[in-house]
Amino acid sequence: MYRYIAFAALCIAAMPAHAGELGAMKAESIDLAGFLGVVYYTPEVDGYRVVTTIAQGEAGLPVRFVATLTENQKVALSVPGKLGESDQIVEISRVGGKLVVSPHPIDGIVVSSPKLVAD
């Protein structure tokens, strides 16, 4: 129960999602097709420790992704789109000593239905 309260408090305190620079220990909200969450980082000796926590809607079980990024590295989180729609992605990259969070659809990837073969 306390995990959900802490997760909700972190979501409320976070800034809205947009492409932009993220400061150390400053959370940013993300929305991946109904998966809501936050991203923050802490500087470590071997790189930026990036922590992303998401949950499906407000009642979903939270899932945490942790990655350590060095200069010019990136990581992406994606959620498959519905039939005929593009996937949704949030890309987190470290460039010029800054962490950038950039939500955008994956270009060119569309879920489609298989064609039925008539006999």
Side-chain angles (χ1 to χ4, degrees), residues 3-4 7 35-36 53-64:
R3 290 186 306 177
Y4 298 114
F7 179 71
F35 285 84
L36 307 174
T53 305
I54 62 170
Q56 187 173 23
E58 293 181 17
L61 181 65
V63 178
R64 179 171 292 138

Side-chain angles (χ1 to χ4, degrees), residues 13-14 18 26 33 40 43 49 54-55 64 66 68-70 73 75 79 81 86-87 92 95 97 100 105 107 115:
H18 62 285
K26 303 273 184 176
Y40 71 90
R49 182 177 182 261
I54 62 170
R64 179 171 292 138
V66 179
T68 301
L69 300 180
T70 59
Q73 286 188 318
V75 64
V79 173
S86 295
D87 291 352
I92 303 165
V95 180
V100 178
D107 294 331
K115 295 182 180 180

Side-chain angles (χ1 to χ4, degrees), residues 13-90:
M15 303 178 311
H18 62 285
E21 179 184 336
L22 184 64
M25 292 301 298
K26 303 273 184 176
E28 181 166 330
S29 296
I30 58 173
D31 183 354
L32 280 169
F35 285 84
L36 307 174
V38 293
V39 176
Y40 71 90
Y41 80 93
T42 56
E44 303 289 333
V45 175
D46 54 346
Y48 288 176
R49 182 177 182 261
V50 180
V51 179
T52 306
T53 305
I54 62 170
Q56 187 173 23
E58 293 181 17
L61 181 65
V63 178
R64 179 171 292 138
F65 301 92
V66 179
T68 301
L69 300 180
T70 59
E71 190 63 30
N72 296 319
Q73 286 188 318
K74 61 184 172 181
V75 64
L77 299 171
S78 67
V79 173
K82 293 180 182 177
L83 188 62
E85 294 180 3
S86 295
D87 291 352
Q88 295 296 309
I89 187 169
V90 168

